[in-house]
Short mmCIF file of all heavy atoms in Angstrom, two decimals:
data_model
loop_
_atom_site.label_atom_id
_atom_site.label_comp_id
_atom_site.label_asym_id
_atom_site.label_seq_id
_atom_site.Cartn_x
_atom_site.Cartn_y
_atom_site.Cartn_z
N GLY A 220 72.55 94.47 102.73
CA GLY A 220 72.96 95.83 103.38
C GLY A 220 71.72 96.71 103.32
O GLY A 220 71.85 97.89 102.77
N GLU A 221 70.73 96.32 103.95
CA GLU A 221 69.38 97.04 103.83
C GLU A 221 69.52 98.54 104.17
O GLU A 221 68.91 99.43 103.52
CB GLU A 221 68.29 96.40 104.56
CG GLU A 221 67.87 94.97 104.12
CD GLU A 221 68.65 93.91 104.83
OE1 GLU A 221 69.81 94.18 105.43
OE2 GLU A 221 68.17 92.72 104.85
N ALA A 222 70.24 98.72 105.23
CA ALA A 222 70.45 100.02 105.64
C ALA A 222 70.98 100.99 104.72
O ALA A 222 70.60 102.13 104.57
CB ALA A 222 71.16 100.07 107.00
N PHE A 223 72.04 100.60 103.99
CA PHE A 223 72.66 101.41 102.91
C PHE A 223 71.77 101.40 101.69
O PHE A 223 71.68 102.57 101.17
CB PHE A 223 74.04 100.78 102.60
CG PHE A 223 74.98 100.72 103.72
CD1 PHE A 223 75.30 99.56 104.30
CD2 PHE A 223 75.54 101.82 104.38
CE1 PHE A 223 76.18 99.44 105.54
CE2 PHE A 223 76.47 101.79 105.50
CZ PHE A 223 76.74 100.54 106.02
N ALA A 224 71.34 100.39 101.35
CA ALA A 224 70.52 100.23 100.06
C ALA A 224 69.22 101.05 100.11
O ALA A 224 68.92 101.82 99.12
CB ALA A 224 70.21 98.80 99.61
N SER A 225 68.61 101.02 101.17
CA SER A 225 67.29 101.79 101.32
C SER A 225 67.49 103.30 101.41
O SER A 225 66.52 103.99 101.06
CB SER A 225 66.58 101.21 102.61
OG SER A 225 67.22 101.63 103.68
N THR A 226 68.69 103.81 101.74
CA THR A 226 68.84 105.19 101.78
C THR A 226 69.74 105.61 100.72
O THR A 226 70.17 106.93 100.59
CB THR A 226 69.47 105.52 103.22
OG1 THR A 226 70.78 104.79 103.22
CG2 THR A 226 68.59 105.17 104.26
N GLY A 227 70.28 104.78 99.84
CA GLY A 227 71.25 105.23 98.72
C GLY A 227 72.54 105.72 99.26
O GLY A 227 73.16 106.55 98.61
N THR A 228 72.94 105.15 100.45
CA THR A 228 74.17 105.57 101.19
C THR A 228 75.27 104.95 100.40
O THR A 228 75.25 103.68 100.09
CB THR A 228 74.17 105.23 102.60
OG1 THR A 228 72.99 106.05 103.19
CG2 THR A 228 75.40 105.70 103.18
N THR A 229 76.36 105.63 100.22
CA THR A 229 77.58 104.94 99.66
C THR A 229 78.71 104.89 100.64
O THR A 229 78.73 105.57 101.77
CB THR A 229 78.11 105.95 98.34
OG1 THR A 229 78.56 107.12 98.95
CG2 THR A 229 77.02 106.07 97.51
N LEU A 230 79.59 104.03 100.32
CA LEU A 230 80.78 104.06 101.25
C LEU A 230 82.02 104.12 100.31
O LEU A 230 82.06 103.52 99.14
CB LEU A 230 81.10 102.64 101.90
CG LEU A 230 80.14 102.40 103.07
CD1 LEU A 230 80.32 101.03 103.68
CD2 LEU A 230 80.27 103.37 104.18
N PHE A 231 82.99 105.09 100.58
CA PHE A 231 84.22 105.30 99.77
C PHE A 231 83.76 105.81 98.43
O PHE A 231 84.35 105.61 97.41
CB PHE A 231 85.13 104.10 99.68
CG PHE A 231 85.52 103.73 101.11
CD1 PHE A 231 85.00 102.50 101.55
CD2 PHE A 231 86.44 104.42 101.89
CE1 PHE A 231 85.44 101.98 102.84
CE2 PHE A 231 86.75 104.07 103.21
CZ PHE A 231 86.22 102.91 103.59
N GLY A 232 82.49 106.38 98.32
CA GLY A 232 81.98 106.85 97.02
C GLY A 232 81.55 105.79 96.07
O GLY A 232 81.32 105.99 94.84
N GLN A 233 81.46 104.64 96.51
CA GLN A 233 81.02 103.45 95.68
C GLN A 233 79.67 102.89 96.19
O GLN A 233 79.62 102.32 97.25
CB GLN A 233 82.13 102.30 95.74
CG GLN A 233 83.47 102.77 95.59
CD GLN A 233 83.77 103.37 94.25
OE1 GLN A 233 83.31 102.87 93.17
NE2 GLN A 233 84.31 104.53 94.27
N PRO A 234 78.54 103.09 95.48
CA PRO A 234 77.27 102.73 95.92
C PRO A 234 77.13 101.22 96.09
O PRO A 234 76.74 100.75 97.12
CB PRO A 234 76.31 103.33 94.81
CG PRO A 234 77.13 103.49 93.75
CD PRO A 234 78.66 103.68 94.15
N GLY A 235 77.30 100.45 95.15
CA GLY A 235 77.12 99.02 95.10
C GLY A 235 75.80 98.48 95.19
O GLY A 235 74.80 99.26 95.47
N GLN A 236 75.48 97.29 94.99
CA GLN A 236 74.16 96.54 95.05
C GLN A 236 73.98 95.79 96.17
O GLN A 236 72.99 94.94 96.39
CB GLN A 236 74.04 95.79 93.59
CG GLN A 236 74.17 96.71 92.45
CD GLN A 236 74.21 95.94 91.28
OE1 GLN A 236 74.02 94.65 91.19
NE2 GLN A 236 74.21 96.61 90.03
N GLY A 237 74.94 95.55 97.04
CA GLY A 237 74.90 94.76 98.20
C GLY A 237 76.22 94.61 98.82
O GLY A 237 77.24 94.96 98.31
N VAL A 238 76.30 93.90 99.92
CA VAL A 238 77.56 93.68 100.73
C VAL A 238 78.22 92.44 100.11
O VAL A 238 77.65 91.42 99.89
CB VAL A 238 77.32 93.46 102.16
CG1 VAL A 238 78.62 93.08 102.82
CG2 VAL A 238 76.65 94.62 102.84
N ASN A 239 79.50 92.53 99.71
CA ASN A 239 80.26 91.54 99.11
C ASN A 239 81.77 91.86 99.51
O ASN A 239 82.38 92.52 98.77
CB ASN A 239 80.09 91.35 97.64
CG ASN A 239 80.79 90.07 97.06
OD1 ASN A 239 81.26 89.36 97.64
ND2 ASN A 239 80.92 90.11 95.78
N ALA A 240 82.28 91.23 100.48
CA ALA A 240 83.67 91.41 100.90
C ALA A 240 84.50 90.19 101.17
O ALA A 240 83.95 89.24 101.75
CB ALA A 240 83.65 92.32 102.24
N THR A 241 85.63 90.26 100.84
CA THR A 241 86.59 89.14 101.08
C THR A 241 87.85 89.66 101.46
O THR A 241 88.54 90.55 100.82
CB THR A 241 86.78 88.27 99.84
OG1 THR A 241 85.59 87.82 99.18
CG2 THR A 241 87.68 87.11 100.09
N SER A 242 88.46 89.27 102.65
CA SER A 242 89.64 89.68 103.19
C SER A 242 90.48 88.60 103.73
O SER A 242 89.95 87.61 104.29
CB SER A 242 89.44 90.83 104.26
OG SER A 242 90.68 91.21 104.78
N TRP A 243 91.81 88.47 103.60
CA TRP A 243 92.69 87.55 104.03
C TRP A 243 93.95 88.11 104.56
O TRP A 243 94.33 89.28 104.11
CB TRP A 243 92.87 86.50 103.05
CG TRP A 243 93.40 86.93 101.88
CD1 TRP A 243 92.90 87.36 100.73
CD2 TRP A 243 94.86 86.92 101.62
NE1 TRP A 243 93.77 87.72 99.60
CE2 TRP A 243 95.06 87.50 100.19
CE3 TRP A 243 96.01 86.65 102.22
CZ2 TRP A 243 96.38 87.71 99.60
CZ3 TRP A 243 97.23 86.75 101.63
CH2 TRP A 243 97.33 87.22 100.39
N GLY A 244 94.65 87.42 105.39
CA GLY A 244 95.93 87.90 105.99
C GLY A 244 96.82 86.84 106.55
O GLY A 244 96.40 85.77 106.88
N VAL A 245 98.10 87.17 106.52
CA VAL A 245 99.09 86.23 107.10
C VAL A 245 100.08 86.99 108.03
O VAL A 245 100.15 88.35 107.90
CB VAL A 245 99.82 85.49 106.01
CG1 VAL A 245 99.07 84.53 105.29
CG2 VAL A 245 100.57 86.55 105.11
N LYS A 246 100.55 86.31 108.93
CA LYS A 246 101.45 86.93 109.95
C LYS A 246 102.62 85.93 110.29
O LYS A 246 102.34 84.89 110.44
CB LYS A 246 100.64 87.33 111.23
CG LYS A 246 101.38 88.11 112.23
CD LYS A 246 100.36 88.38 113.31
CE LYS A 246 101.06 89.14 114.47
NZ LYS A 246 100.09 89.41 115.61
N ALA A 247 103.90 86.33 110.44
CA ALA A 247 104.85 85.60 111.01
C ALA A 247 105.95 86.42 111.66
O ALA A 247 106.11 87.60 111.45
CB ALA A 247 105.57 84.95 109.70
N GLY A 248 106.56 85.83 112.71
CA GLY A 248 107.48 86.37 113.63
C GLY A 248 108.21 85.56 114.56
O GLY A 248 108.10 84.30 114.41
N ILE A 249 108.83 86.11 115.49
CA ILE A 249 109.49 85.36 116.45
C ILE A 249 109.41 86.03 117.87
O ILE A 249 109.18 87.19 117.94
CB ILE A 249 111.05 85.31 116.16
CG1 ILE A 249 111.71 86.68 116.03
CG2 ILE A 249 111.45 84.48 114.87
CD1 ILE A 249 113.23 86.78 115.93
N GLN A 250 109.32 85.11 118.83
CA GLN A 250 109.35 85.59 120.23
C GLN A 250 110.73 85.19 120.86
O GLN A 250 111.17 84.09 120.81
CB GLN A 250 108.13 84.89 120.99
CG GLN A 250 106.75 85.40 120.50
CD GLN A 250 105.76 84.70 121.44
OE1 GLN A 250 105.82 83.56 121.86
NE2 GLN A 250 104.57 85.39 121.45
N PHE A 251 111.38 86.12 121.49
CA PHE A 251 112.46 85.98 122.15
C PHE A 251 112.54 86.51 123.49
O PHE A 251 111.66 87.25 123.95
CB PHE A 251 113.70 86.55 121.23
CG PHE A 251 113.50 88.02 121.03
CD1 PHE A 251 113.83 89.05 121.83
CD2 PHE A 251 112.80 88.37 119.67
CE1 PHE A 251 113.71 90.31 121.47
CE2 PHE A 251 112.66 89.83 119.41
CZ PHE A 251 113.09 90.59 120.27
N PRO A 252 113.55 86.16 124.28
CA PRO A 252 113.53 86.57 125.81
C PRO A 252 113.31 88.11 125.75
O PRO A 252 114.12 88.83 125.15
CB PRO A 252 114.87 86.22 126.24
CG PRO A 252 115.36 85.03 125.44
CD PRO A 252 114.64 85.20 124.12
N HIS A 253 112.25 88.54 126.46
CA HIS A 253 111.96 89.98 126.73
C HIS A 253 111.54 90.69 125.45
O HIS A 253 111.64 91.95 125.38
CB HIS A 253 113.17 90.75 127.31
CG HIS A 253 113.70 89.94 128.40
ND1 HIS A 253 112.93 89.41 129.54
CD2 HIS A 253 115.11 89.62 128.75
CE1 HIS A 253 113.83 88.70 130.41
NE2 HIS A 253 115.00 88.89 129.95
N GLY A 254 111.09 90.09 124.37
CA GLY A 254 110.79 90.78 123.27
C GLY A 254 110.05 89.96 122.14
O GLY A 254 109.99 88.74 122.18
N SER A 255 109.73 90.64 121.03
CA SER A 255 109.08 90.08 119.90
C SER A 255 109.28 90.88 118.64
O SER A 255 109.54 92.13 118.68
CB SER A 255 107.56 89.70 120.06
OG SER A 255 106.84 90.89 120.10
N LEU A 256 109.25 90.21 117.44
CA LEU A 256 109.30 90.85 116.06
C LEU A 256 108.41 90.22 115.22
O LEU A 256 108.49 88.98 115.14
CB LEU A 256 110.71 90.96 115.79
CG LEU A 256 110.89 91.46 114.21
CD1 LEU A 256 110.68 92.93 114.15
CD2 LEU A 256 112.37 91.28 113.79
N TRP A 257 107.49 90.92 114.42
CA TRP A 257 106.64 90.18 113.57
C TRP A 257 106.30 91.02 112.42
O TRP A 257 106.46 92.29 112.43
CB TRP A 257 105.41 89.63 114.07
CG TRP A 257 104.42 90.70 114.86
CD1 TRP A 257 104.47 90.82 116.23
CD2 TRP A 257 103.52 91.49 114.34
NE1 TRP A 257 103.49 91.72 116.60
CE2 TRP A 257 102.86 92.21 115.45
CE3 TRP A 257 103.10 91.81 113.01
CZ2 TRP A 257 101.86 93.20 115.24
CZ3 TRP A 257 102.06 92.67 112.80
CH2 TRP A 257 101.53 93.29 113.91
N TYR A 258 105.95 90.41 111.10
CA TYR A 258 105.56 91.04 109.99
C TYR A 258 104.14 90.47 109.46
O TYR A 258 103.98 89.29 109.67
CB TYR A 258 106.55 90.79 108.87
CG TYR A 258 106.08 91.25 107.45
CD1 TYR A 258 106.22 92.53 107.04
CD2 TYR A 258 105.35 90.35 106.71
CE1 TYR A 258 105.87 92.99 105.70
CE2 TYR A 258 105.02 90.84 105.46
CZ TYR A 258 105.12 92.07 105.02
OH TYR A 258 104.76 92.46 103.75
N ALA A 259 103.25 91.36 109.04
CA ALA A 259 102.02 90.92 108.73
C ALA A 259 101.54 91.48 107.38
O ALA A 259 101.97 92.69 107.00
CB ALA A 259 100.86 91.20 109.75
N TYR A 260 100.62 90.84 106.54
CA TYR A 260 100.18 91.44 105.45
C TYR A 260 98.57 91.05 105.41
O TYR A 260 98.12 89.88 105.71
CB TYR A 260 100.78 90.60 104.25
CG TYR A 260 100.24 91.03 102.96
CD1 TYR A 260 100.59 92.12 102.16
CD2 TYR A 260 99.13 90.26 102.27
CE1 TYR A 260 100.16 92.56 100.88
CE2 TYR A 260 98.63 90.53 101.08
CZ TYR A 260 99.09 91.75 100.40
OH TYR A 260 98.58 92.09 99.28
N ASP A 261 97.77 92.11 105.02
CA ASP A 261 96.44 91.89 104.85
C ASP A 261 95.90 92.40 103.52
O ASP A 261 96.39 93.34 103.07
CB ASP A 261 95.59 92.58 105.96
CG ASP A 261 95.34 91.71 107.26
OD1 ASP A 261 94.91 90.56 107.09
OD2 ASP A 261 95.55 92.19 108.24
N SER A 262 94.89 91.68 102.97
CA SER A 262 94.30 92.19 101.64
C SER A 262 92.81 92.15 101.75
O SER A 262 92.23 91.20 102.17
CB SER A 262 94.88 91.35 100.53
OG SER A 262 94.21 91.84 99.24
N THR A 263 92.19 93.26 101.38
CA THR A 263 90.58 93.24 101.14
C THR A 263 90.46 93.37 99.72
O THR A 263 90.82 94.44 99.17
CB THR A 263 90.12 94.48 102.06
OG1 THR A 263 90.23 94.24 103.38
CG2 THR A 263 88.56 94.43 101.76
N GLU A 264 89.86 92.42 99.11
CA GLU A 264 89.65 92.42 97.65
C GLU A 264 88.67 93.42 97.06
O GLU A 264 87.72 93.77 97.77
CB GLU A 264 89.33 90.97 97.28
CG GLU A 264 90.09 89.86 97.74
CD GLU A 264 91.54 89.87 97.23
OE1 GLU A 264 91.71 90.42 96.14
OE2 GLU A 264 92.48 89.66 97.90
N LEU A 265 88.90 93.81 95.82
CA LEU A 265 88.03 94.72 95.22
C LEU A 265 86.99 93.88 94.54
O LEU A 265 87.24 92.94 93.72
CB LEU A 265 88.77 95.47 94.11
CG LEU A 265 87.98 96.47 93.28
CD1 LEU A 265 87.41 97.65 94.13
CD2 LEU A 265 88.84 97.16 92.11
#
């Protein structure tokens, strides 16, 4: 994350020592005549 590290820039008030991100998600639903319904969940780890 050279752009952030070289300027001491923080994101969400958290400076950090480099980029380290993990995110995952799931989604499930149904498609029916003339419509759809679904539910989803996403998580970005700390």
Side-chain angles (χ1 to χ4, degrees):
E221 294 92 342
F223 301 106
S225 64
T226 58
T228 300
T229 65
L230 288 179
F231 307 107
Q233 311 301 308
Q236 300 173 1
V238 176
N239 183 12
T241 305
S242 180
W243 59 274
V245 292
K246 181 179 180 181
I249 57 172
Q250 292 180 336
F251 51 87
H253 314 312
S255 64
L256 174 66
W257 56 261
Y258 170 88
Y260 175 89
D261 270 315
S262 176
T263 300
E264 305 299 328
L265 179 67

